[in-house]
Amino acid sequence: MKRALFFLFLAACSDHKPTLSPDVSTRDISIAVNASDHEVVATLTGPGGYVVLLPPDHLSFASGSMEWPAVHVANTYVADIGNTSGLVSLRLSRTSDESVEQAFVIPPPFSVKAPALMSRGAGMTFTWDGQISNAKVAFGLRGACIKGLDRALGIDTGTYALNPGELESSGMIETTCDVTLTITRTYSGAEPSASTLAGFSASFVNKASITFTSSP
Amino acid sequence: MRAIFFLLLAACDGAPAPAPTTPSNGLAPSALGVSATVTGNGASVLVDVSITSGAIAVKLSPGDALVASAADAPALGLGEYKPGKYTVLLPTRSQTVTLAFLRDGKAIVSNDIALPTPFAIAAPAMPSRASSIALAWEAGKSSETLALAVGAPCLATTNTMRTPDPVGTGFTLQAADFIPYSGACKLNIELRRTDGRMLPGFSNSAAQVVQFRTLELVTQP
């Protein structure tokens, strides 16, 4: 009865009928994890679409001695893990089927450095920390007196230099203004494991910005 | 019956009608709109000219001709390749090309067209992509624009475009511009320096002048 009511509630609130966990094997579940700010979000899918965990099945995230339960929100499971970064484990705990644990790496926050004042007519060098191998990095500059510049970097070296004149002025008259550099780091953090999940992916997007004064 | 058949075929034919043209012999040069692109690579210069009268393409009449010449190259006539469009490849190392409009064998309009500042692209031999790669060339003028194109499978963007400082003497590719790539990787580099010139004697006429150079640079990891 409890199960029927639970299912009815979910069906009423969703455009598509989700699958309840007792009706799907762990080996048929795929989990996708992503993070933004303090939240880690996991999406569970099975052959029939989204999977909803019927208690006592539950999902949590753990790092060291800390464990955070994930709460069902829409078709995802969300946990606030604060400023945790580094090795984190996703734990899918089940009573009617096998439980699994899958590790992934959350990249740490990072910072960008640039001189306070730079001339567009001279070269500019920017640096940032927290490099991770295999991360994709995008470099973007925005300001009222410049033409926006976006660049996808091939590797994350923690530094990039613009050649003299490469950052172009906008408008007929060259002026000075505040320019913001944003570095966006995209990283896939799944660690190899013997997990019996059908699939697992963990992807993260971290951003760091700095604003400097740009003169002609 | 056969005539009707051919008539029907002609009526159903989807081939486009040829673009209208007007002959040049009734027009003074001051009534001709001339737009030219003059592109040099250090060994030859391609002269490409479009001639109009208002919005209509002009066909050079017998007795009228466009010719290009240089200090080291005798005059060559431009040939038509489309209605109103004429071109010639002039073998010359000169940085100035003369474009003349001849009528009955006499040059009645002549313009000396100076190409942008010439240059050669220099680069280190077999550079490593793990470090910056500095490309160098002769400085240009502030009125000129530079466009650098680099194509290679080891670049983060396979066909990369950059706009170097027109009065600068080079551009440095960053290590972060390259993706992890094993082995040698050839960069196909092309640099174009562009400027504009007026063509007095014609109506509202101008030329875009271009110097372009290419370089193939083999890089190491």
Side-chain angles (χ1 to χ4, degrees), chain B residues 4-190:
Chain B
I4 294 172
F5 179 67
F6 279 113
L7 202 63
L8 279 171
L9 275 180
C12 296
D13 186 358
T21 60
T22 188
S24 64
N25 60 357
L27 300 167
S30 58
L32 297 175
V34 173
S35 167
T37 302
V38 182
T39 307
N41 66 357
S44 59
V45 173
L46 181 71
V47 181
D48 192 315
V49 175
S50 172
I51 317 175
T52 55
S53 176
I56 301 177
V58 170
K59 184 173 180 64
L60 292 175
S61 305
D64 287 348
L66 281 169
V67 298
S69 62
D72 59 351
L76 285 179
L78 277 68
E80 183 182 33
Y81 66 93
K82 266 186 179 181
K85 296 191 184 296
Y86 295 82
T87 190
V88 71
L89 183 65
L90 193 67
T92 174
R93 294 182 183 275
S94 175
Q95 302 310 310
T96 301
V97 168
T98 301
L99 178 66
F101 178 79
L102 306 184
R103 178 157 283 170
D104 297 326
K106 285 186 184 174
I108 55 175
V109 176
S110 181
N111 286 286
D112 292 333
I113 304 173
L115 291 171
T117 311
F119 61 92
I121 307 174
M126 301 284 266
S128 166
R129 298 189 294 276
S131 304
S132 301
I133 299 176
L135 307 175
W137 49 76
E138 290 77 355
K141 301 174 188 163
S142 58
S143 62
E144 298 167 342
T145 60
L146 276 176
L148 175 68
V150 185
C154 54
L155 285 166
T157 302
T158 307
N159 293 304
T160 293
M161 305 291 295
R162 298 284 186 261
T163 49
D165 183 0
V167 299
T169 56
F171 192 91
T172 301
L173 296 171
Q174 307 295 309
D177 287 325
F178 296 95
I179 60 173
Y181 190 92
S182 60
C185 178
K186 184 172 70 176
L187 310 184
N188 292 307
I189 301 167
E190 180 180 295

Side-chain angles (χ1 to χ4, degrees), chain A residues 6-15 18:
Chain A
F6 184 69
F7 180 79
L8 201 62
F9 174 76
L10 283 174
C13 297
S14 170
D15 290 340

Side-chain angles (χ1 to χ4, degrees), chain A residues 3 10 14 16-17 20-21 39 74 107 116 122 125 131 169 202 207:
Chain A
R3 177 176 164 166
L10 283 174
S14 170
H16 303 282
K17 195 166 90 174
L20 294 182
S21 55
E39 284 187 346
T125 300
Q131 284 81 263
S169 300
K207 293 187 181 186

